[in-house]
Amino acid sequence: MRFLVSNQARDLGIANPVVCLYRGVAQVENTDVYNELKDDLMSRIDHIRTEVVPTDAVQGFRKLYANVNSKVQPAGERLVETCKKKGVFPNYGNLVDAYNIVAF
């Protein structure tokens, strides 16, 4: 399988996209294995919101979205805001939770 980056994507700064395909992996609802990581992230949520989200690297995603005329908030930022608002890290299942932990 091949994935190609178009010139338009490259012009927006997407030069090295990451694609991941899983085989033989099951989505399960019980995600207790991540509780310690989720608790750690929640304990640092104010620091993440005030010190990490404003960084150039994170704000680069906003610029990328703006360059494609999207008004959508980047998923990582939206997750941080949702966690702050609700006071808990959401549980969606092992695969989505693992991705969200990394994105957070």
Side-chain angles (χ1 to χ4, degrees):
M1 184 175 292
R2 277 177 61 181
F3 295 92
L4 303 174
V5 179
S6 70
N7 288 335
Q8 293 88 352
R10 193 169 293 121
D11 291 344
L12 292 172
I14 304 171
N16 300 299
V18 176
V19 177
C20 184
L21 301 173
Y22 291 98
R23 290 189 179 132
V25 177
Q27 169 79 1
V28 296
E29 297 304 317
N30 184 352
T31 57
D32 292 340
V33 68
Y34 300 126
N35 285 348
E36 187 175 331
L37 292 169
K38 291 176 183 180
D39 291 344
D40 175 60
L41 289 170
M42 289 304 295
S43 73
R44 296 184 295 126
I45 193 165
D46 289 325
H47 169 78
I48 292 167
R49 289 177 72 229
T50 60
E51 301 297 324
V52 177
V53 171
T55 63
D56 290 343
V58 175
Q59 292 307 304
F61 281 102
R62 280 190 177 206
K63 184 178 178 183
L64 180 65
Y65 278 59
N67 286 340
V68 294
N69 295 320
S70 174
K71 296 184 189 316
V72 174
Q73 182 182 21
E77 284 187 61
R78 191 172 59 246
L79 178 62
V80 170
E81 292 304 317
T82 298
C83 289
K84 178 64 179 176
K85 181 179 177 182
K86 293 184 176 184
V88 296
F89 201 101
N91 291 314
Y92 296 108
N94 62 320
L95 297 176
V96 175
D97 289 354
Y99 176 84
N100 281 344
I101 288 168
V102 172
F104 198 89

